Structures are given as C-alpha cells and as structure tokens.
Amino acid sequence: MRFGKTLRQSVYPPWKDKYIDYGKLKSILREDKPEDEDEPWTEDDENRFCDEIFNTQLEKVAQFQAEKVEQLRQRVDTAFDRLKELPPVEEGKQKTDEEKQKLKDMEGELDTITNEVKELQKYSNLNYTGFLKIVKKHDRKRGDRYKIRPIMQVSLSKRPFNSEQAYSPLLNKLSLMYFAICQQLEDAPAADSFPIDPDSQPETHNGEKYTAHKFWVHPENLLEVKTFILRRLPALVYSEQSAKEVDGQHDPTITSVYFDNRKFELYSKKVEREAEASSLRLRWYGQLNTRPDIFLEQKILHDNGSSEERKFVIKEKYVKPFLDGEYKMEKSVQKMERKGQSAEDVEEFRSTADTIQDFIRDSKLEPVVRANYVRTAFQNPGDDRVRISIDTDIAFIREDTLDRDRPCRDPKEWHRADIDNSSMTYPFKNINQSEVSRFPYAVLEIKLRESNGKGKRAAWIQDLMGSHLVHPCPRFSKFVHGVASLFEDYVNRLPFWLSDLDTDIRKDPQVAFEEEESRRAQRAENEQVVGSFLGTKLSSYKPSRSSPVAKSYLAERLAADTSASPASRVTPQHQQSSNGEEVGESSNAAAGPQSPGGERQINYGTLSSVFPGFSLSKYSKAKRAREAGLALPPGVVEPTEWIKNSGPLQIEPKVWLANERTFLKWQHICVLLGGLAISLYTAGGATGHNTLAEVMGIVFIGIAIFSGAWSYWVLRKRREMIVARSGKDFDFVVGPLVVSVALMVALIVNFVIAYEQAFSGGKKHGGGGEGIVNGTAEMVDLR
C-alpha cells in the first residue's frame, strides 16, 4: 500500500488539517510525472520544495504536537489536583454512591485523555514517517544535484514530536491515577504494589513475571558499563554447547531469523502497539553448520501490556517441513513419551507446536530479516531475580524473497545458505552491502523478577539505569528495527527511536544525574499523593544530598527522615572521603589558615612557593600522580580537554599587562648588567693593565645575555600557558636563581682578589675591584 493512501486512512478527523500535506509535496516534487517528460529541476524549484517542507509543513506539525502535549499535560494536572481533593480512604468504610460516581467520572476523563495521547502518538509517528518518505523520494528523483535527507533527519532529531520521552511523563501520571481509582472501584491488586512503569515492559518467562528495561550504550561507554555490572553480577555461560564453541573465552554469537508476510502485518501491529501483536523467530547459538539447537519462538503482546513467550526446540532438518506444514513434530512427541514425561507436558508441547504452525499458515509467514549479535549475559547462578544482557556487533540482514528476480534467499531454503555454509561473521563484508544494516550501539536489557506484584530494584541498578552511560529506549525491538532499516520502501510506519540514531546519545554526567533526580523526585511526589489518597505508602525515594531537587519541599521532607538521627549528621569539616580519610581539617591545615569569610589564604614565602615540586595545588598533585604512573580505573580514559577549557577564550587585559611588566623588569636588569659589563671591560682595556676588570666585564656580559634570553623565553612560555588556559604553576625559579648565584659568585671572587692585592701592596690591578663593587651595589632586586 502506498503511503499516501495509508495517510488518508489513518487521519484523526478532528486534526485533519494538521497533518503533513503529502499530496502537495508530491506535486511540487512532480512525483507523478514520468522522468522523460519532466521539466528541468531548477534552483527555484528546489528552494520552493525546501521552504514548503521545512518552514511550512515541519513547523506546522511540530508546533501542533507541542501545543497538544501542553494541553494534555494541563488536563492531566487538573485531574491530578481533583484526585488530591478527594477525601482519603478510611479502612473498613464503604464508599458512598456520590464518591463512587466522582471516581467513575474521573475514570472517564482519564479514558478520554489516554485515548487522545494514543492518537497523538499515532499522529507523531505518521508524520515522522511521511517526512522521511518524501525526502527519500526527493533524493531518489533529484538527488543528482540536491540531497536533503540528512538535513531532514537532523531537523527531526531536534524536534521531539516522535520521541517516547515526550509522552512518558503523561503516561506515568495517568498510570498512577488509574491505579488509585481502580483500588476504590473494583477488586484490584494489593494497595502496596506499584503501578505499571510506562518505561518498562512486563514479560513472562517460565511462569515468572519480569519487568524488562532496555537501553542503548555508546561504544565509548561499553567497557565501563560491563565493569560496573561485573562488580555485582558474574558473567553467565548459556549452555553446554555454547560453552564448547566459545571455549570459555568469548561471548556466544546469536542468530535470530524473524518471520513476516509480504504485507509486513506483524511489523505494523508491533509498531502500532495493537493488542495481541505477535512476532515469530528462529534462534540459535554459534554457527549453523555446527548443528546447534534451534529454538522456534513466538512472542505475544497482550492487552495489559505484558508479553508471553511460546517456544520449543526443533532440529534443522525438520525446520523446512514444519514451516510448510508437512511435519507435526511427531518424533519429538514420541521421544518425550519414551522418556516418561507426563501427559500434561506432552500435550502442552503438542499444543504449542500446533498453535505456532497454524499461526504460520494463517498469516502466510516466511523469513524476512536476520539479526546477528554477540551477547554477554550477567546473572547470579541459581538466582534469576536480576537478569542482564548486553548485545554488541548487531547486524541486520535481509532474508526475504520479495524480489522474485533477485531473491536474497533461495525460496527452497528457510535460511541464507551463502552466510551459514561459509560461517560468515560480523561485519558480513562478503555479501551485498545494501542487504546489511549495522546497528551503531550496544543494547542493554535489564530484567527484574517481580515479587508479590512488586518489582524490586537494587540501588546499583537504579544508579545504572539513571546514569549518563545508558540511553533509555523502552520499546526497542530488533525485529522492528531490522525491518524499518532494510524495508523502508515496503512499510508505512517507522519506530520512534530512529530519530535518536541521528543524535549523540552520550551525556554529561552531571546533567544526566540532575535529570534523573528531578524525574524520580517528580514521580515520588505523584506517588506520595496517591499513597495519601489510598492510606498507604507507595514511594520510598530519598533524594541524594547533592541532588538538584534537594531544596524542593518534597525532597526536604523525604531527606528529613534520613537526617533525623544525630549519627547521620556530619559537619562539613569532618566529612570523609571515599577512601575513608577525613578531609576537612587536614586539607585546610595543609592549605594554610582561612580568613573569617571562609576563603583560603595563600602562603607566600613557603617552600612550595619557591620549589613547585613541593606545591600542594590540585594541578601539581595531579601532575605528580601522572608522573608516578598511577593507573586509571578500568574503562576510564584521561580527558583530552577540561570542561573549563571548552568555552570561548576570555582573558582580561591585566593578565597580559602583568606578563609584560615582568618582561620589562627583566629587561631593566639586563640593561644594568650590560652597562656595567661594558664599563668594566672598556676601563680595563683602556689602561691595558687591569686584567681583572676585563674578565669580570666578560662575566657580566654573559649574565646580561642570559637574563635577556631567559626573560624572552618566560614571556613566550607564559603567553602560551595563558592562551591554553593551563592550570600549571606560572613560577619559573631557574632564571632568578642562576642570575643571583652568578652575581654572588662574581662579587665574592672580585672582593677576595681585590682584598689580597690591597694588603699585598700590589698595584697591578688597582682600583678594579672597588669599581666592580660600587657598580654591582646598584643592582635592583630580581623578580
């Protein structure tokens, strides 16, 4: 089906004028005209098209979405305020008919808001797909001179109208209100259970309920994430076969072949989040030519948002007959009966196999895309409360036969023999590169087992999920992403996370911390209101003392519980560092006394001010630590640029003038020494008998030359340090020490020689020493 027809059929009538005008853009692009009848595409035509799509259509859609989100937020807040006004629940007391009617009216209002949120999500997704479709048509038709798809992707990434994060706060608040109302109107779960988190997805495995959280991890943060997890959970070996294949040294490679029909109905239902949406895949570990166990799995998404998985093991030789409906898993059933398994297990296996086979036949499914990735799993042996996996080297490969002339897979086979027979591995360079899509990030999935309807999270899991190391992508699906990236021309809906691929998912640690603390504080405040209404406590959130929300009313109340005991009150002067040492009085004592205002005084004249090697500044300590060869923690890379240096260069004029004044002082000393040296040398040469005066003149000339060269080198060096905003020490003590020592030695030698000549009655060098002493006595103090 063409996208234009899909757009017309999917329009929400109240908003029909707010959608992308796909037909107008096609007419401007002259999409309906044959190539040979096209008029020349001029720069004016290109400017008209770009102005229409960027300045008119994109702005119209983005502005409408932003306005609707704000309106929905206000309606949700109004409903939440109404919930606050309701009297709290009293234990053992029945609700009156009037109170029940108010709750039902509020529930109806929530239903209306929820339906409008769903329509707005569909609106955003449909327009997002439309913009990408039309710019792809543009680049295909006019791409010889103009390409605007990259510009459109950047523009879409800057506008969050197709981002899950725009709707998550609304859904979170709605879920809390639904939870509170259902507790009063019908028999619901226990009142101390948490409502469903919209950022998570409930799943069921082996009868146990789990809550799954999915994230993307940038390659630069991957090692740090793995080491963070390894400190708390050991790596998991999947099976005996995978252990044999990897020899205990590498993580197993997993291949999943996903099924769909030629209309991509399974994909469409999954993207649109329809009830009872299903997906089907064949999965195995390692290379197929090693004859691994093959799992045929069907995942079903139910109305309440939870998912269910059905699967069984099938041998490779039976895969094709089973998919064609010629084999009913009789051999596996007979094997189970010979092993003496219960009739219930045998019947359950037969029912699962028949159900999946009927699903394949009725939906006309066939392999369409393959996902290949390396998985690292973490789990405590025998304890499945926390299950974590990291998938890397993710590649999606076409497995379809949609093009009858050039099928990607042999229609007589159920998989691509060119890949499996040759044991081809990532990055799959030996196949047509248009059939491969490589995912740029790693995928982190955290599954938490629920206990008594409540998913418990350890503190370290909370820290990881809210850190800057991960980027949340709640409903990410390999099947959906593989189809969207490889079959864009065949589908009319694209997932919301595609826009995030065009942005840098790395975050500043402090910004990520503040955002997570604000989000958790807001959620805790909402849960506290619901808990007050229900007469129970829903939230146990306690904000960090360094949190940006620590000054809020809620945070102060929550933090008061932890600071009530005197043992927890620690004065700033006696706070302990991470290694257990007290940092307050010790650091202040090392740095010198403090002024009454609390500012640290600099100790001029100390040993550290003369010899930088004894400096206690943080820059000197860091330099000495680097020179000592201290190893950084695993995954931590030394920064190439400090955050303080990332802004524009702004230096006050007095800094430059201070550097010039120092240079001019040195030049004054150089002139004095040079003048003295020339006078001595000239006087000694004129008489022809004063050898001491000539020698001392040469010595002072050398000192003057050194002073001039040293002053110029210091001027240039300090200028470079100022421009580079270096945190190093600016004092250079070698030059002043050399000049001072040279002058002292020259004066002592001159005095000794002149003294011996005066008492020995010698006249040969008379007067020379006195002139030198008098000349050097006029020297000024060196800086």
Side-chain angles (χ1 to χ4, degrees):
M1 184 184 297
R2 292 181 175 272
F3 178 76
K5 185 177 180 181
T6 301
L7 179 61
R8 289 192 298 272
Q9 294 178 350
S10 305
V11 165
Y12 184 51
W15 304 341
K16 61 180 180 179
D17 297 331
K18 303 300 181 180
Y19 286 80
I20 178 177
D21 195 340
Y22 196 73
K24 182 178 182 181
L25 292 172
K26 287 181 63 177
S27 64
I28 297 176
L29 192 57
R30 305 172 193 167
E31 176 67 16
D32 298 330
K33 293 184 179 181
E35 290 286 345
D36 53 356
E37 297 182 5
D38 271 356
E39 300 176 4
W41 185 261
T42 64
E43 187 171 349
D44 292 337
D45 296 327
E46 181 69 19
N47 292 335
R48 182 188 173 199
F49 179 82
C50 291
D51 180 71
E52 179 66 25
I53 192 172
F54 287 105
N55 299 331
T56 303
Q57 299 297 328
L58 183 58
E59 290 300 326
K60 176 183 69 176
V61 172
Q63 183 178 358
F64 176 76
Q65 191 269 349
E67 292 175 354
K68 292 302 296 183
V69 168
E70 180 62 24
Q71 292 175 9
L72 290 172
R73 186 189 65 79
Q74 293 177 0
R75 291 174 62 183
V76 170
D77 291 342
T78 302
F80 203 74
D81 292 338
R82 288 174 56 193
L83 182 66
K84 293 180 183 179
E85 296 173 358
L86 293 177
V89 177
E90 297 182 10
E91 187 175 358
K93 184 179 180 180
Q94 296 292 330
K95 287 282 185 182
T96 64
D97 293 339
E98 183 180 357
E99 291 174 341
K100 288 184 178 180
Q101 186 60 40
K102 288 183 179 179
L103 290 173
K104 289 181 180 179
D105 293 342
M106 184 176 294
E107 186 179 23
E109 174 66 14
L110 295 183
D111 291 338
T112 304
I113 296 175
T114 302
N115 292 332
E116 198 156 333
V117 170
K118 291 180 180 178
E119 290 296 338
L120 188 59
Q121 285 183 312
K122 293 180 181 179
Y123 168 88
S124 301
N125 180 267
L126 201 61
N127 285 281
Y128 175 79
T129 305
F131 283 117
L132 291 183
K133 289 279 187 180
I134 195 64
V135 296
K136 186 174 183 179
K137 289 180 180 293
H138 170 277
D139 289 0
R140 184 172 59 240
K141 195 176 183 68
R142 311 297 179 187
D144 52 341
R145 293 181 58 189
Y146 311 97
K147 287 188 180 296
I148 63 173
R149 184 181 174 90
I151 302 175
M152 174 58 70
Q153 289 176 331
V154 173
S155 299
L156 290 173
S157 65
K158 292 181 179 179
R159 293 169 172 83
F161 67 84
N162 194 45
S163 172
E164 186 77 8
Q165 304 301 322
Y167 306 99
S168 181
L170 295 176
L171 296 175
N172 184 15
K173 217 163 191 177
L174 286 170
S175 67
L176 283 167
M177 288 189 285
Y178 270 120
F179 174 76
I181 293 174
C182 290
Q183 288 291 329
Q184 306 305 312
L185 292 180
E186 58 186 28
D187 293 334
D192 59 347
S193 62
F194 284 98
I196 295 175
D197 186 353
D199 293 335
S200 64
Q201 183 174 350
E203 296 183 359
T204 302
H205 297 280
N206 299 325
E208 296 285 351
K209 294 183 178 180
Y210 288 85
T211 304
H213 306 264
K214 296 182 180 181
F215 305 89
W216 291 351
V217 182
H218 194 278
E220 293 184 2
N221 299 329
L222 183 59
L223 181 59
E224 188 171 354
V225 171
K226 284 186 175 181
T227 54
F228 182 86
I229 299 173
L230 278 172
R231 293 188 183 101
R232 291 140 180 107
L233 290 178
L236 175 69
V237 178
Y238 278 84
S239 62
E240 183 178 351
Q241 176 154 354
S242 62
K244 287 180 181 178
E245 179 195 344
V246 301
D247 196 23
Q249 298 178 0
H250 303 285
D251 297 319
T253 300
I254 300 178
T255 302
S256 297
V257 176
Y258 293 95
F259 289 71
D260 209 335
N261 53 33
R262 293 182 174 273
K263 295 181 179 180
F264 290 95
E265 293 179 351
L266 299 188
Y267 167 85
S268 300
K269 291 180 179 179
K270 200 169 182 67
V271 172
E272 296 173 9
R273 303 179 189 174
E274 294 185 6
E276 303 302 320
S278 299
S279 61
L280 186 71
R281 69 178 178 181
L282 286 165
R283 177 173 57 89
W284 65 88
Y285 295 91
Q287 297 296 334
L288 190 61
N289 53 20
T290 61
R291 300 187 179 279
D293 292 335
I294 300 177
F295 299 87
L296 182 57
E297 304 172 342
Q298 180 188 12
K299 182 177 287 187
I300 305 172
L301 184 64
H302 295 298
D303 294 336
N304 59 357
S306 62
S307 64
E308 178 187 358
E309 192 173 68
R310 303 169 181 168
K311 67 178 180 179
F312 61 88
V313 180
I314 184 173
K315 291 185 178 180
E316 179 186 355
K317 61 181 179 180
Y318 296 132
V319 172
K320 182 63 176 174
F322 180 84
L323 297 178
D324 294 339
E326 301 172 357
Y327 176 65
K328 299 290 186 180
M329 301 299 296
E330 298 91 348
K331 299 249 177 160
S332 298
V333 172
Q334 294 172 3
K335 185 177 180 181
M336 293 176 68
E337 292 175 346
R338 288 196 303 269
K339 288 185 176 180
Q341 296 190 19
S342 63
E344 292 80 4
D345 293 341
V346 174
E347 183 59 30
E348 183 181 358
F349 176 83
R350 181 185 286 111
S351 175
T352 300
D354 293 342
T355 302
I356 293 179
Q357 194 171 51
D358 293 341
F359 176 66
I360 295 173
R361 183 186 64 251
D362 297 340
S363 302
K364 299 179 181 179
L365 302 180
E366 61 182 44
V368 293
V369 66
R370 168 190 299 226
N372 185 274
Y373 48 93
V374 177
R375 170 161 292 183
T376 306
F378 308 89
Q379 180 182 326
N380 281 324
D383 184 0
D384 60 352
R385 289 177 298 175
V386 179
R387 303 166 60 185
I388 299 179
S389 64
I390 299 178
D391 298 336
T392 55
D393 295 343
I394 304 175
F396 301 97
I397 306 170
R398 291 183 59 166
E399 290 267 344
D400 63 283
T401 58
L402 298 177
D403 189 349
R404 298 296 187 184
D405 298 329
R406 299 181 60 185
C408 299
R409 166 181 53 84
D410 186 354
K412 298 180 181 180
E413 296 288 343
W414 63 270
H415 64 100
R416 291 189 60 159
D418 58 336
I419 295 177
D420 296 324
N421 293 345
S422 61
S423 299
M424 198 179 303
T425 58
Y426 187 88
F428 300 98
K429 293 184 178 180
N430 297 331
I431 61 176
N432 190 342
Q433 293 302 292
S434 63
E435 301 173 357
V436 183
S437 175
R438 300 173 186 85
F439 192 68
Y441 306 123
V443 176
L444 168 68
E445 184 173 13
I446 302 175
K447 292 183 179 180
L448 306 175
R449 192 179 69 187
E450 296 182 2
S451 176
N452 297 326
K454 181 177 179 179
K456 295 183 179 180
R457 301 179 187 175
W460 67 270
I461 295 178
Q462 284 289 115
D463 294 340
L464 176 61
M465 293 169 58
S467 71
H468 69 287
L469 302 174
V470 298
H471 176 77
C473 193
R475 301 184 183 274
F476 177 77
S477 167
K478 295 185 180 70
F479 166 56
V480 172
H481 185 84
V483 173
S485 59
L486 294 173
F487 300 92
E488 186 176 341
D489 293 335
Y490 294 87
V491 298
N492 292 328
R493 294 292 177 91
L494 298 176
F496 67 87
W497 59 75
L498 287 184
S499 58
D500 292 340
L501 292 176
D502 302 314
T503 60
D504 190 353
I505 65 172
R506 291 170 293 184
K507 305 174 185 176
D508 180 80
Q510 183 63 26
V511 174
F513 170 74
E514 293 176 356
E515 291 178 352
E516 177 64 15
E517 285 292 310
S518 300
R519 187 187 69 83
R520 291 176 60 192
Q522 182 61 45
R523 180 178 176 84
E525 184 176 7
N526 297 338
E527 291 177 350
Q528 189 178 41
V529 172
V530 175
S532 300
F533 173 69
L534 296 176
T536 184
K537 184 178 180 181
L538 287 181
S539 177
S540 59
Y541 167 70
K542 293 180 177 60
S544 170
R545 293 189 178 275
S546 59
S547 169
V549 300
K551 296 182 180 180
S552 67
Y553 172 68
L554 169 70
E556 289 179 356
R557 288 171 57 188
L558 294 175
D561 297 337
T562 60
S563 60
S565 59
S568 62
R569 296 172 183 170
V570 183
T571 58
Q573 288 79 10
H574 298 279
Q575 291 178 351
Q576 293 188 348
S577 63
S578 58
N579 59 3
E581 297 178 355
E582 292 190 358
V583 293
E585 295 180 356
S586 60
S587 60
N588 292 338
Q594 293 186 341
S595 62
E599 298 179 356
R600 183 180 299 174
Q601 299 178 357
I602 302 176
N603 293 331
Y604 292 106
T606 61
L607 189 61
S608 61
S609 65
V610 179
F611 297 96
F614 293 92
S615 176
L616 297 178
S617 68
K618 60 180 181 180
Y619 304 107
S620 299
K621 292 180 179 179
K623 180 179 180 181
R624 290 197 295 271
R626 290 195 300 269
E627 292 175 350
L630 297 179
L632 294 173
V636 179
V637 181
E638 183 177 357
T640 57
E641 184 180 16
W642 295 97
I643 296 178
K644 67 180 181 66
N645 297 341
S646 58
L649 183 64
Q650 297 179 352
I651 301 174
E652 296 183 5
K654 64 180 181 180
V655 178
W656 300 110
L657 297 177
N659 192 26
E660 289 184 3
R661 282 198 303 271
T662 305
F663 174 73
L664 293 176
K665 287 288 186 179
W666 273 95
Q667 292 301 308
H668 179 64
I669 295 172
C670 180
V671 170
L672 289 178
L673 289 173
L676 175 62
I678 292 175
S679 300
L680 289 175
Y681 188 83
T682 302
T687 58
H689 300 288
N690 198 341
T691 306
L692 179 60
E694 294 179 357
V695 172
M696 297 307 297
I698 295 173
V699 171
F700 279 109
I701 288 176
I703 297 175
I705 294 174
F706 174 82
S707 300
W710 172 262
S711 62
Y712 181 77
W713 180 83
V714 169
L715 174 70
R716 301 296 301 177
K717 187 67 175 179
R718 285 176 175 164
R719 185 185 185 281
E720 293 174 2
M721 294 173 66
I722 293 171
V723 172
R725 290 181 285 200
S726 172
K728 299 178 182 179
D729 296 323
F730 278 72
D731 46 342
F732 299 91
V733 298
V734 176
L737 288 176
V738 170
V739 173
S740 300
V741 171
L743 287 175
M744 188 179 299
V745 171
L747 290 174
I748 292 174
V749 171
N750 177 74
F751 178 82
V752 170
I753 295 176
Y755 182 83
E756 292 179 351
Q757 290 179 351
F759 281 90
S760 61
K763 304 294 185 178
K764 187 174 183 179
H765 303 290
E770 182 180 357
I772 296 174
V773 173
N774 293 334
T776 54
E778 297 177 1
M779 294 297 295
V780 299
D781 187 21
L782 297 177
R783 293 192 59 178

